[in-house]
Amino acid sequence: MKKLLLVFDGRYYPETLLRFVLRIREGSAVSVRAVLLNSTDMTALWSFPVAPGTGAPYVPPIPDVTDEAQEAEANADRITQWLMDNNLSGTCIRQSEGPVFETIKKESRFADIMLLCGDHFFAHFGHQPNDYLKQTLHISECAMILVPDNAPFPERTVMAYDGSAASVYAIRQLAYLLPEMCNLPATFLHAGEGGDVPYAELIVDLAERWYPNAHWEHLLSSKRDQLSEHLAGLEDGLVVCGAFERGVISQFFRDSTVSRVIKSQNVPLFIAHH
Amino acid sequence: MIKMIWLAEPQRFQPHQLSFPAMMAKEAKSHLTVVDTSAWRSNPVPVYINDPVFPTTNYTIPDIIPPGKEHDAESFRKSLETTAQEAGIEVEFVDGSQAYVDNLADLSRFADLIMVNTSLALSPGDDHNPTDFVMSLLPKMQCPVLLLPDDQQEIKELIFTYNGGYSSMYSIRQFAQLFPGFRNLPVTILYVEENEHSIPYERELKNWLAAHYDNYSFKLLRGEPSSALMTELMWRKNVLVTFGAFGRSKLSRFFKGSNAEGVLQVIDIPVFITHP
């Protein structure tokens, strides 16, 4: 049984994530832990010396705390009811106090996959990927799926491969965690100078073991700008990539590309790093 | 399908040595990639002693491979194939060249598990347990490593060492991902109390365990972590233990700077080690 973790700003009802949970359950048994986070976490000030997304000193908006508490309470009740209606084992907790990032780090340590809403994750802190989302992707200790609003459930996968340990780790993690997706058409997308795929024999062997419907595409790194457009255009796809702002950032699939895919808000991303 | 690699030592191969790798391969519904490590061995090197009393002498450290047991790849393969057939698994052979061992770290990136006997030695003087070669492998590998004792044991229980940190949980999760079929085995979580007198994140851990294992319990040990684990594990048999991190250096992060090698030296059970 997979333990799925849903984390979101308590003021938001994660319709898209719940839809994804039901589709994942069709492939394998799941238990759900929904964590409604404190949307006015002042301790995050320490993480961002300036206002997220701007160069200005940080002045946090102070939403009406009473409203937030009521909204979060109502959302927690709805999710608990949704779990029961769908006969899902799981819990829904409100983290109305305390640091957001500490909570995410702790919760993700004890989860198999974390689902995040790509559009609404602390949306009041700026356009996506805002600093809250980037920090969350960075500190998370389990694999993540970033789901944009209204994204259809993936009918195919795209593996961003550059030969790095991070990209191979993510490809393996998808196979372990969502084996039902292994049978979907899988595009192994390599980007780099020249035509040589690093460790070609080994990655082909790995692909054959896990992804029977794999095929290869090669993109010249001189056309780097086209990559994010290419990935963002895959509306029924799931883009699998290995690192997000880690020390070992893949040579080509680096932050800017991932960020652009997130910004495009129409393709789910599976991110796994260690 | 999981890629499971076993680093085999043909000169000392006994058919019973295959039983544990074969069992794990069956459990993971995988076939077994067997790497012949013969080419990795170094020749015995003469050692010279300059003694002020006795004349200079030289001698050679005796090889652990018995005389007359020269490498015969063909008979090794035949023997292994027969044993594998009896065990009901498929094996794939890889001739391990020197280039293979040089690139083992890169190769491990594309594998799911590497299994190695703790006695695998590449040089005559390497008679520690685990050998220096095996210890040198651990920090370099980019996939989990399963250390195998020389005697074969049926696994009846799982022990997860846990310290509340990311690396111990990472290892537990990796094990569960690779071997979901073990969910019916009893699981013991070993936690060593040092400063804290309660298990960190106990509720969250129980929540995760409940999703993956049917029968789990906690055992709290007291004292210095490596000593406490040594005492707990040194007499155990028929269990498999997971360790969170061997670390990128020789010192384990799991043991907070104490010597992890000590624990590995005294225990005689399969050990699953990985690091984030």
Side-chain angles (χ1 to χ4, degrees), chain A residues 4-5 7 17 20 24 104 108 111-117 121 133-147 169-170 173-174 177-178 238-244 246 268-274, chain B residues 166 173:
Chain A
L4 303 182
L5 171 67
V7 291
L17 300 188
F20 256 65
I24 291 172
I104 291 171
S108 64
D112 296 306
I113 308 174
M114 178 164 79
L115 279 83
L116 300 159
C117 183
F121 192 77
L133 181 58
K134 284 182 180 174
Q135 182 73 356
T136 299
L137 298 180
H138 175 68
I139 60 164
S140 164
E141 295 185 0
C142 69
M144 295 156 277
I145 303 180
L146 197 60
V147 187
Y169 178 75
Q173 279 291 301
L174 181 73
L177 294 168
L178 297 169
L238 176 72
V239 176
V240 179
C241 54
F244 191 88
R246 284 275 155 171
L269 269 176
F270 178 91
I271 300 175
H273 56 62
H274 49 53
Chain B
Y166 174 37
R173 281 197 328 224

Side-chain angles (χ1 to χ4, degrees), chain A residues 1 3 31 106 108-112 141-142 161 163-165 168-169 172-173 176-177 199 202-203 205-206 209-210 273-274, chain B residues 1-3 31 92 106-107 109-112 142 162 164-166 169-170 173-174 177-178 201 204-205 207-208 211-212 276:
Chain A
M1 190 187 287
K3 187 181 162 191
S31 80
K106 179 188 78 177
S108 64
R109 184 171 300 170
F110 299 93
D112 296 306
E141 295 185 0
C142 69
Y161 174 73
S164 68
V168 179
Y169 178 75
R172 289 208 322 242
Q173 279 291 301
Y176 297 162
L177 294 168
Y199 306 108
L202 292 166
I203 188 65
D205 178 51
L206 185 150
R209 282 170 188 273
W210 290 109
H273 56 62
H274 49 53
Chain B
M1 194 206 312
I2 282 175
K3 182 169 187 176
H31 62 246
E92 174 197 354
D106 288 340
L107 295 164
R109 181 180 304 169
F110 298 86
D112 298 288
Q142 297 178 22
Y162 173 76
Y166 174 37
M169 199 56 214
Y170 176 84
R173 281 197 328 224
Q174 285 268 296
Q177 286 173 5
L178 287 173
Y201 311 122
E204 288 81 3
L205 177 60
N207 191 281
W208 184 88
H212 293 83

Side-chain angles (χ1 to χ4, degrees), chain B residues 26-264:
Chain B
K26 269 175 112 170
E27 190 60 49
K29 298 180 178 64
S30 161
H31 62 246
L32 190 64
T33 302
V34 179
V35 178
D36 178 345
T37 64
S38 308
W40 307 357
R41 294 187 59 78
S42 58
N43 293 322
V45 179
V47 178
Y48 295 89
I49 296 178
N50 281 318
D51 191 291
V53 179
F54 298 100
T56 300
T57 55
N58 67 29
Y59 68 97
T60 303
I61 297 173
D63 200 336
I64 45 177
I65 305 293
K69 274 270 187 180
E70 287 80 22
H71 178 42
D72 180 354
E74 202 50 45
S75 64
F76 168 62
R77 282 188 181 206
K78 275 185 186 159
S79 171
L80 200 63
E81 269 168 3
T82 311
T83 317
Q85 210 165 19
E86 286 165 10
I89 59 155
E90 282 181 45
V91 288
E92 174 197 354
F93 289 96
V94 176
D95 273 327
S97 61
Q98 188 57 41
Y100 193 100
V101 69
D102 292 342
N103 295 324
L104 198 53
D106 288 340
L107 295 164
S108 70
R109 181 180 304 169
F110 298 86
D112 298 288
L113 182 74
I114 288 186
M115 290 185 278
V116 57
N117 287 71
T118 51
S119 60
L120 178 62
L122 301 191
S123 58
D126 188 1
D127 55 359
H128 301 114
N129 186 33
T131 61
D132 292 342
F133 168 70
V134 171
M135 295 304 281
S136 72
L137 275 185
L138 295 178
K140 290 186 279 190
M141 294 299 98
Q142 297 178 22
C143 70
V145 177
L146 187 60
L147 299 182
L148 308 177
D150 275 341
D151 67 328
Q152 303 302 306
Q153 303 168 22
E154 186 192 350
I155 301 303
K156 296 178 178 170
E157 183 187 348
L158 304 174
I159 293 181
F160 296 158
T161 57
Y162 173 76
N163 67 354
Y166 174 37
S167 63
S168 61
M169 199 56 214
Y170 176 84
S171 174
I172 295 169
R173 281 197 328 224
Q174 285 268 296
F175 183 81
Q177 286 173 5
L178 287 173
F179 300 105
F182 282 136
R183 70 165 297 141
N184 298 322
L185 289 182
V187 175
T188 303
I189 309 294
L190 271 190
Y191 173 69
V192 185
E193 286 184 347
E194 276 189 290
N195 303 320
E196 297 188 42
H197 295 291
S198 61
I199 297 170
Y201 311 122
E202 185 177 353
R203 196 180 49 185
E204 288 81 3
L205 177 60
K206 281 181 175 172
N207 191 281
W208 184 88
L209 286 166
H212 293 83
Y213 293 97
D214 297 331
N215 177 10
Y216 61 87
S217 60
F218 289 81
K219 186 164 187 180
L220 273 63
L221 308 175
R222 290 196 171 79
E224 194 270 321
S226 57
S227 309
L229 288 171
M230 268 189 219
T231 313
E232 175 66 25
L233 298 173
M234 69 190 298
W235 304 113
R236 300 298 302 269
K237 287 278 184 188
N238 301 107
V239 301
L240 185 149
V241 64
T242 67
F243 279 128
F246 197 77
R248 302 277 172 189
S249 69
K250 269 201 156 188
L251 290 181
S252 158
R253 287 195 295 262
F254 183 83
F255 297 104
K256 296 179 183 167
S258 63
N259 194 348
E261 293 178 30
V263 180
L264 298 180

